[in-house]
Amino acid sequence: QVQQAESGGGLVQAGGSLRLSCAASARALTTYTVGWFRQAPGKEREFVAALTWRGGTAYYADSVKDRFTVSRDTANNTVYLDLRSLKPEDSAVYYCAQTTNWTPVTVRIVKSYSHWGQGTQVTVAS
């Protein structure tokens, strides 16, 4: 069973940057997508970005598309999320997960995903 683990979170000042990593114990050779989501206290988990493993097609939430970049390192089974121009409202626990049955619409839906990591905290100070 695939295990995923996020890392790279921390405390940063507004306007700063962070790189989050999502490492997997293995990546299936079938077509799938890795998604990044975040959840702030008292709020629902929301879509941030996603990347198809084979084709490298990226999807972004409107709130982050000009500031965040998702990429992959196929040799190390790792997906990255580069966060730039961070705002206090970006503070949340960030999770990665995987889906093998997706469309450009369902790639943004939490229930489409499985194999969630434990999350990494991002805190942006104003």
Side-chain angles (χ1 to χ4, degrees):
Q1 185 173 353
V2 173
Q3 298 292 323
Q4 302 201 99
E6 305 90 340
S7 61
L11 173 63
V12 64
Q13 294 293 315
S17 301
L18 284 172
R19 166 171 268 201
L20 306 184
S21 299
C22 173
S25 57
R27 296 288 185 193
L29 295 179
T30 56
T31 301
Y32 66 91
T33 293
V34 174
W36 283 97
F37 291 77
R38 66 187 182 186
Q39 188 167 17
K43 295 187 177 181
E44 294 187 354
R45 193 167 297 189
E46 65 174 4
F47 172 75
V48 175
L51 185 71
T52 62
W53 187 250
R54 278 191 168 179
T57 300
Y59 301 87
Y60 296 98
D62 288 343
S63 60
V64 308
K65 64 182 179 180
D66 296 326
R67 302 184 294 120
F68 293 5
T69 302
V70 61
S71 61
R72 72 195 191 282
D73 179 345
T74 56
N76 292 302
N77 294 328
T78 300
V79 174
Y80 301 102
L81 184 67
D82 288 301
L83 291 63
R84 298 182 300 276
S85 301
L86 282 162
K87 305 174 182 179
E89 52 263 42
D90 293 319
S91 298
V93 178
Y94 284 70
Y95 299 90
C96 66
Q98 181 173 303
T99 179
T100 57
N101 185 16
W102 59 276
T103 69
V105 172
T106 62
V107 75
R108 300 169 184 272
I109 299 173
V110 171
K111 291 184 178 180
S112 300
Y113 289 81
S114 61
H115 301 107
W116 292 86
Q118 82 289 349
T120 186
Q121 176 72 48
V122 171
T123 303
V124 184
S126 58

